[in-house]
Amino acid sequence: MMSHHLRPSTSIPKASAALLLRPAFPRMTTLTRFYATHSDLGGGSGPKATSRRRNVTLLSDDGRYEWGELSGREKVSRATQQSINFLVIVAGAVLTGGVFYLLYTEVFSPNSRTWQFEKAVQRIKDDTRCTDLLGDRREIKAYGESTGSRWERNRPIATSIFKDRQGREHMKMHFHVEGPLNSGIVIVHMMKPLDKDEWEYLLLALDVKGHSRVILEQAQEKPGVAKALKIFGIQWR
């Protein structure tokens, strides 16, 4: 009895083999994305992009471009701007100098009214005859004339400067002093001789109501001085 052995068929069609060899997952494809660059947004790149720049005007010039890169009109704008800046600097320097000059002549100079006022107040406080009438020197106050305004804190000192017939400069000043005992008026009359540049006292006195005048300085009888003491019909003694 013949036995027949069944062998599996090993022959597979080519089409079926290709299906078996294909991977289970689909092949990954590469996606290419395109992004907009700065040059693309700006309207291009290259020589055309670099040639475009903001025009230089009188108000928009910030100095980023060299002189050789400017056009004729832009050079005029820059020159005008620099000239204006120079004039502003010069004007500021002149104003600053004027302010310092006024401060010196009106406050710090020995010939200024403020300096002479402070000097006269100090003379009153240092004189024992004045402190006997006014009180403690540490409590003595000096102030000018009242202006009638409640908002005016500083009272101006009544001062007048003029020249006599001989060309000599005079300065008259009076102000109020007040202490714990009494109050009074300080009278100052000064003259600047022709051959000097400093004030000299013709009269420095304190008047307190009910008391005799206290004379701290009074010019001696010299040629021309007696006449200088009588000005505008007022005799200063």
Side-chain angles (χ1 to χ4, degrees), residues 125 130-140 179-182:
K125 292 182 178 181
C130 297
T131 54
D132 289 342
L133 294 177
L134 300 176
D136 189 353
R137 66 184 308 275
R138 294 172 296 182
E139 300 181 23
I140 295 177
L181 299 179
N182 289 297

Side-chain angles (χ1 to χ4, degrees), residues 90-210:
V90 172
V94 171
L95 290 176
T96 303
V99 170
F100 279 107
Y101 176 77
L102 289 177
L103 284 176
Y104 176 76
T105 56
E106 296 295 332
V107 179
F108 301 107
S109 174
N111 291 325
S112 66
R113 307 177 186 183
T114 304
W115 183 286
Q116 296 301 332
F117 166 73
E118 296 291 343
K119 182 180 178 181
V121 172
Q122 191 63 36
R123 290 287 302 273
I124 295 296
K125 292 182 178 181
D126 292 340
D127 194 288
T128 56
R129 296 172 298 172
C130 297
T131 54
D132 289 342
L133 294 177
L134 300 176
D136 189 353
R137 66 184 308 275
R138 294 172 296 182
E139 300 181 23
I140 295 177
K141 301 178 182 179
Y143 51 89
E145 299 296 326
S146 177
T147 59
S149 175
R150 295 182 300 175
W151 304 103
E152 187 72 26
R153 300 183 61 183
N154 297 325
R155 296 183 177 183
I157 306 301
T159 309
S160 61
I161 298 179
F162 55 91
K163 290 185 178 181
D164 58 17
R165 295 181 179 179
Q166 300 180 13
R168 297 173 300 185
E169 194 171 4
H170 291 255
M171 179 170 64
K172 282 186 176 182
M173 177 189 308
H174 70 270
F175 56 90
H176 300 266
V177 288
E178 182 179 354
L181 299 179
N182 289 297
S183 60
I185 298 176
V186 178
I187 300 171
V188 180
H189 184 190
M190 309 184 77
M191 182 185 67
K192 187 181 296 184
L194 296 176
D195 57 345
K196 296 182 180 180
D197 195 30
E198 296 180 357
W199 293 106
E200 293 182 357
Y201 280 108
L202 294 181
L203 180 66
L204 174 60
L206 169 65
D207 286 337
V208 178
K209 188 176 181 179

Side-chain angles (χ1 to χ4, degrees), residues 20-99:
L20 292 176
L21 294 176
R22 180 179 297 177
F25 300 98
R27 181 180 296 176
M28 300 297 292
T29 59
T30 303
L31 299 178
T32 304
R33 296 183 179 181
F34 298 93
Y35 298 92
T37 61
H38 178 72
S39 60
D40 294 333
L41 293 176
S45 60
K48 293 184 178 180
T50 57
S51 63
R52 295 181 180 178
R53 63 176 178 83
R54 184 176 60 180
N55 293 330
V56 175
T57 62
L58 181 62
L59 300 178
S60 65
D61 186 13
D62 54 4
R64 70 174 63 183
Y65 301 114
E66 298 293 336
W67 180 262
E69 300 176 352
L70 303 178
S71 64
R73 181 177 297 179
E74 292 174 339
K75 289 180 180 179
V76 173
S77 299
R78 175 168 293 184
T80 304
Q81 183 192 63
Q82 292 178 351
S83 300
I84 294 175
N85 294 339
F86 177 76
L87 292 177
V88 171
I89 293 174
V90 172
V94 171
L95 290 176
T96 303
V99 170

